[in-house]
Each structure stands twice: as C-alpha cells, then as structure tokens.
Amino acid sequence: MSKSFEILELVGISTESASDAVKNVIFEANKISPVAWFQVSEERGRVTPEGKIEFQVTVKVGRKLNNSK
Amino acid sequence: MSKSFEILELVGISTESASDAVKNVIFEANKISPVAWFQVSEERGRVTPEGKIEFQVTVKVGRKLNNSK
Amino acid sequence: MSKSFEILELVGISTESASDAVKNVIFEANKISPVAWFQVSEERGRVTPEGKIEFQVTVKVGRKLNNSK
Amino acid sequence: MSKSFEILELVGISTESASDAVKNVIFEANKISPVAWFQVSEERGRVTPEGKIEFQVTVKVGRKLNNSK
Amino acid sequence: MSKSFEILELVGISTESASDAVKNVIFEANKISPVAWFQVSEERGRVTPEGKIEFQVTVKVGRKLNNSK
Amino acid sequence: MSKSFEILELVGISTESASDAVKNVIFEANKISPVAWFQVSEERGRVTPEGKIEFQVTVKVGRKLNNSK
Amino acid sequence: MSKSFEILELVGISTESASDAVKNVIFEANKISPVAWFQVSEERGRVTPEGKIEFQVTVKVGRKLNNSK
Amino acid sequence: MSKSFEILELVGISTESASDAVKNVIFEANKISPVAWFQVSEERGRVTPEGKIEFQVTVKVGRKLNNSK
Amino acid sequence: MSKSFEILELVGISTESASDAVKNVIFEANKISPVAWFQVSEERGRVTPEGKIEFQVTVKVGRKLNNSK
Amino acid sequence: MSKSFEILELVGISTESASDAVKNVIFEANKISPVAWFQVSEERGRVTPEGKIEFQVTVKVGRKLNNSK
Amino acid sequence: MSKSFEILELVGISTESASDAVKNVIFEANKISPVAWFQVSEERGRVTPEGKIEFQVTVKVGRKLNNSK
Amino acid sequence: MSKSFEILELVGISTESASDAVKNVIFEANKISPVAWFQVSEERGRVTPEGKIEFQVTVKVGRKLNNSK
C-alpha cells in the first residue's frame, strides 16, 4: 500500500456555527475513507431566506492515497 | 437598479464564540440593508477585565449596490 | 518597565469547537502572564481514535515584554 | 479640499468576460464620483440557469476623499 | 443527498482570452456535473510555436458532493 | 448603541515620510469620527514633477459602527 | 479528447530529503496517469519514533483531464 | 549555453481588455528574446481623460538566461 | 556553540514614527542578546487619549540560538 | 516608443529611517531613468557594528520600457 | 500536564542542502525538548567567502507546552 | 559606488534535487557578479521524456547595484 496522501477540498454547511459546519463535512468524508487530518482554508456564508446565518466552511482533508485509484 | 455589489468590512464582538460574533454583526448589518453573502477575513480577541475571552471577528459583507448612493 | 510587547505562537486543543480550543489555550497562557491580545492564525484538526473531531487552533498571543527576561 | 483618498470594494457582473464586468462596475462608480484608479482583487463566477458563464469580479476603487463626508 | 460541496482545481486553455479559457473549462466541467460556482486562482500562459498567446487559467470549481462517491 | 465596528480603507499622502502620510490621513479621519485603531496595508509612491518622493500609504481604519447609518 | 487539465494535491513522504519525498509521490502519481507538471506548496514533517526526520511535502500535480471521467 | 532562466516583471496597457494588455506586452517582449512562459501577477487600471477604462496588467515573463549577459 | 538561530516576534511602540518604534524595540532586544537581523511584519496603531498617533510595529528578530537554553 | 513598463526590484539602505532608505534608492534609480511609481515590498534590517539600526527596504520600481533595450 | 502546544521559529544552516539544514536544526531542538512536528516557512541563503552555497532554512517547530514555563 | 542592491529573479534546473537546482543557478549568477544573498520563492517541476523528475526552482538573487549600469 502507498505511503502517500491525497488532499481533497470540501465545503461543509451549518446554520449553527462554523465548527458545526466542519464537523458535518468531516464526519461525512470520514464515512467514505478515514480522514487523517484537516485544515480550514476559508469561512464564508449567507443569510438564508428564513433569516438564519448559514456558515459555509472550506476544509482541506488529508487521507491515505489508495493505490488502486 | 444596479447589478453591481459593494463589499463592506465589519467587526463583530462576542464573549461566547467566534461564530456568535459573526452572527451579531451580520444580523445588525442585515437590518440596514439585505446581506447577500459574507466572508470571514480575520479573527482576533482579548481577555476582558472580567477575565472573559472576547472574540473580535472581521467579516467582509457583500450587498446590492444602491444606485442612489 | 518596558513599553514593548512579545508575540508567542500557541496551539489550543478541543473536541467541542474551534472557539473552545482558543479559550483553552488563552486561559492557560493568561495564568502565567496577562494576555494583552490574540490573533487566530491557523485552524487544523483530526478525527480522534474515538471518532471525535479534534480542533487544533494556532493563536498568536501578545503580552508585555518583561525587562528581566 | 483633502489630499487623501478612500478605497471602496465593489463587484461587477457580466456574462461576456471578466474585463466587461470590470468596465460595468467602474463606469457605474465613475458616474457618482470620479475613479482615480482601480485594482482587481478577486474573480469568481457561476453558471446561470440559462447556461451562461457569469463573471463576478471584485475591484478595489480609489477616489478622492470628500471632506464633507 | 449530501448538503456538502467539493472543490476541484482545473486549468482551461484558450488563444483568445483569459475569460475564454475560463468558459472552455467551466462548460466542459458542467457537462459532467453541475458547477455551483467557480473562482479563478491563477493565470499563466506561453507563446505557441505559431506565435500566438496561449492563456492557461486555473479555476477552482465548486459542486454538490455526490454521496455515492 | 452598536458594539460592532466598521473598517474603512484610506490612503494618506506625504512628501516627508511614510509615517507622516499615516499621520495625515488618520488625523483627517479622526476629525469626522473617532478612530479606534488602524493598520497599514500598502506603501506605494511616485516621484513628483518637482523631483520629490511622494509616499502614498494605504491604512485600514477601524471605528465604532453608528447604528443610524 | 479534452484540452483542459486537472490539478491534484498530494503529499509525499521520505526520511531522506524533501526532494526525495517529491520524487516518491510524483513517480507514484505518474504510474496511474502521466504528470504534466507539479508545484511544491508546503513542506512539513516530524521526528519519527526511531529518531529520524520525516519530510512530508505537499505537491500540486497537473495532468490532462480525461473526458470519460 | 545556460540551462537557467530569468524572470522579468513587465506591465502591459490596453483600453480593450486585460487579456489584450497581456498580449501587447508579451508580443513586445517576444520580439527582443523568446518568451518561454508568463504569469499574470496583478491587474490594475484607471479611467482615462477620454472616459475609457485602461487596463494595466503586470506579468512575470520567463526566458532563457543568456550566458553572455 | 550552536550554528542555528531563533526568531522572536516583538512589538515596538512610538508616537514619533514607525521607524522609531522599530529602533525602540530592537535596541531593547539587543541589550539582552545580540540581534543578528530583523524583519518588519506588521504596522498597526491607534490614536492615544492625548490625540497622538501611536505606531505599533511588529518585528521578527533573529539571533544566535544559545545551546544552554 | 513602447507603451509598456518594466518593474525592477531594488533595496535601499539607511541608518535614519525606512522612509530615508526608500528615498535613497529611488533618487539613485531616478538618475538613470525616470521612475514612474514604486511600491515597498519588504522592510528588513540589522544592528551595525557601531550599534546603529540599519534599515534595508525593498522597493519595486516601475518605469517606461525602452524599446532599444 | 497541559494539552496545549507552543510553536518556535528556528533557522538551520547547511552547505550541503536545504533538507540538511532542516535536519541540523530539528535534531538540535529535539535534544532540548521533543519536537512534535515542524513546518518549513522560508528558504534563504548566501555564497560563503569559500565560494560554497550556504542554505538558511526557517522552520516552525511545534512542541508540548510545559506548564512550569 | 552605490550602497543600494538589486534583486533578480532566476530559475535553476536539476534532475537531482531542489537544492542542486539552487546551487546550479547561484553558481552561474555568481560568475557574472557576486551574489550577496538569495531567497527561494517557488519550486515547480515536470517529468522529463526520459522519466526523470526535473526540479525548476525560482530564486530571488540580491547583489550590489553597479552605478555604471
């Protein structure tokens, strides 16, 4: 098996907090393949039509590179 | 009406969390004129005289440019 | 006494939220010497063996430079 | 009159090209008050529901600071 | 279906203009899966053997994360 | 009254020094509304027709956000 | 076939040198699909339990975008 | 002959578009010595006295280093 | 003795000029241990209650790493 | 004559102030060929053997590109 | 014991290679207190009077924060 | 003679290592005029037709500004 890693860039969404948006997207990514580490690279958002703050947080996710890819 | 947007830079304050500081300043900005989107650009803070952590979060706020300005 | 300041770079840890990681490390630094201000410079993390998200937040901490150092 | 300048951050829109988006927002800003210079700081966009590429270009616009402001 | 997004980094090519290079790569990406937004991150190029300017524009492309991936 | 702040970007001019350009624009901004803090973000300049060096210093200026705006 | 390119972000590992880490990950990526170019974007590392320096080098890898993807 | 390259920083001007400004300065540089590659590093501009938008685009230009220099 | 260096981050204060703030903090640091070089990394400030501009300049200071530390 | 510009990167030296270092190098560059504009890109320095602070300021200098080069 | 970390900035020297300079400074830092991770932040150098290339590599070094500090 | 310096941007090439690419271009530059210092600003590369990794390292080279230029 390879000793290299790949880095994916993903965006999580939450109307609770920026950290909640991070948790949402990392848990989802972790189900497909184990997440080795992550780094937050951007935090944006908008006001939803219902008047809530929606956090959109970009995370770089590192994971083991699968040789069979 | 103009199709252009303007970006304002604001700083929100909270002793709860950075996301709470974002919510405070976006809700306040949204009352004056609808916020189309925002981006967090800096997160600073201090220890208050009462010993609390105060989060000071800078956000860039985008909104429709009003022609009459 | 000196009017200058020094800036230390510290990393706080929390499985709750990024802001909780900031509070942890600032309170710990503040016990040793009063923190004048701080700035978040990086937010990273990992999934713990127990399946929790661990936030690792780097903060730059400013404090009065002690002449006797 | 003041010798200082202020810098506004605006976003222009065009489905033609990024340069067309710059022209749209600069001409609009120039009608209100003469533009001394501008600098492009970001170029984003989306695919419109009609399937066109929409360019959203952020420009920093410099102009004379009016003392009466 | 997931509420998260993924960001891909692509490079479009054109001998017409930088905006044409963006259109080429976004239209191509949009055929495979709808593009939610894009951001230009780098603009490079070369002189072709036929003496034309070739624009090579790097764009970050955001799209809905497909759960089945 | 609001606990939020706004950040303006201004450019000061001086043929003496960069620090003199900062002083000029901060004193002018402070007359209109109290300046809470500032940060220098760019330092440019030119040679005037009289052969002097003109410093053009961009400063970000933070001040209390007025609710009535 | 497409004239566009995609950019992947990979991390190579070596206890010899940073350049060895780059070679490891580029050779591995090149076996799957030809690498057109690469760019080093970060160089980190750790001390292994055996007391060796482990270099972890992040590279952005450009390659022809396959239409059938 | 040397295998090294040198990088020059040039600014092209056009009232048509940013890409036209790039073409102008690259064609001019290419007449003196073959341009191996270029990279756009800044895009600024102004409104001309005739009311046109003038694009001023900074490009880094790479070319073979001539040993005899 | 070690051939390595350490870099400290310090903030100097002056109501005269940014360069005066640099001199203040470098002279103070130099008394404790010889300063090999410095680099200015940020320039901020405020208006004092007496109406003066206070420059707060962050400098990175390099000096010989003492083995006995 | 060409409408393009070239940008040179120069370092000025002064034991007075950073602005004095800028003046020194711009006046020297201006004698050879008129300087159209400049931008400060880095400010470093050292303590001289005589115990003075020496400012080393890097400036990018723009000037008309001479066709005959 | 604290769960926080501190980050030091150090500069390693070598006339062999940049990676050798990293190894030199990390091994030296690791003798005093275990290094948890490092990150290369700058690579500079000079030609020595003996005509060798000297690499000067700046690394940020992370290690457990000692409570007794 | 001038006390100012100029900074050139050069690219060195090597199929051995990034540090070897730096040495190649610095030795070549040093033959023409003494190199005072250098700084690595970018590290790119490609796979050669013979299947080797080619390192292309951009270095900023500082040297005394010759008055007679």
Side-chain angles (χ1 to χ4, degrees), chain E residues 9-13 25 28 32 42 58 60, chain G residues 2-7 37 60 65 67 69:
Chain E
E9 204 163 16
L10 304 174
V11 182
I13 307 285
V25 74
E28 189 177 336
I32 301 159
E42 200 181 35
T58 306
K60 292 201 163 196
Chain G
S2 165
K3 286 181 57 183
S4 299
F5 291 81
E6 66 180 341
I7 297 176
W37 80 91
K60 292 200 165 197
L65 188 60
N67 278 345
K69 194 192 180 176

Side-chain angles (χ1 to χ4, degrees), chain L residues 2-58:
Chain L
S2 166
K3 286 180 58 183
S4 301
F5 291 82
E6 66 180 340
I7 297 177
L8 307 180
E9 204 163 15
L10 304 173
V11 182
I13 308 284
S14 167
T15 53
E16 289 307 312
S17 71
S19 292
D20 199 52
V22 171
K23 286 178 184 170
N24 287 346
V25 73
I26 296 297
F27 281 134
E28 189 175 337
N30 201 44
K31 277 182 216 154
I32 300 157
S33 169
V35 167
W37 81 91
F38 67 86
Q39 180 175 5
V40 174
S41 57
E42 200 181 34
E43 186 181 331
R44 300 173 69 93
R46 60 166 186 137
V47 182
T48 67
E50 299 79 31
K52 288 192 170 169
I53 307 293
E54 180 187 277
F55 294 92
Q56 306 158 344
V57 183
T58 306

Side-chain angles (χ1 to χ4, degrees), chain D residues 23-37:
Chain D
K23 285 179 185 172
N24 286 346
V25 73
I26 296 297
F27 281 135
E28 189 176 337
N30 202 44
K31 277 181 215 155
I32 301 158
S33 169
V35 167
W37 80 91

Side-chain angles (χ1 to χ4, degrees), chain B residues 23-42:
Chain B
K23 286 178 184 171
N24 287 347
V25 73
I26 296 297
F27 281 133
E28 188 175 339
N30 202 45
K31 277 181 215 154
I32 300 158
S33 168
V35 167
W37 80 91
F38 67 87
Q39 179 175 4
V40 173
S41 59
E42 201 181 34

Side-chain angles (χ1 to χ4, degrees), chain I residues 26 28 68:
Chain I
I26 296 297
E28 188 175 337
S68 64

Side-chain angles (χ1 to χ4, degrees), chain D residues 3-65:
Chain D
K3 282 182 61 183
S4 300
F5 292 82
E6 66 181 339
I7 297 177
L8 307 180
E9 205 163 15
L10 304 174
V11 182
I13 307 284
S14 166
T15 53
E16 290 304 312
S17 71
S19 292
D20 199 52
V22 171
K23 285 179 185 172
N24 286 346
V25 73
I26 296 297
F27 281 135
E28 189 176 337
N30 202 44
K31 277 181 215 155
I32 301 158
S33 169
V35 167
W37 80 91
F38 67 86
Q39 179 175 5
V40 173
S41 60
E42 200 180 35
E43 184 181 332
R44 301 173 69 93
R46 60 168 186 136
V47 181
T48 67
E50 300 79 29
K52 288 191 171 170
I53 307 294
E54 181 187 275
F55 294 93
Q56 306 159 341
V57 183
T58 307
V59 286
K60 292 201 165 195
V61 174
R63 62 184 193 194
K64 268 272 179 182
L65 190 59

Side-chain angles (χ1 to χ4, degrees), chain K residues 5 12 16 24 32 38 42 47 51 53 55-56 59 62 67:
Chain K
F5 291 81
E16 289 305 312
N24 287 347
I32 301 158
F38 67 86
E42 200 181 36
V47 182
I53 307 293
F55 293 92
Q56 307 157 343
V59 285
N67 277 346

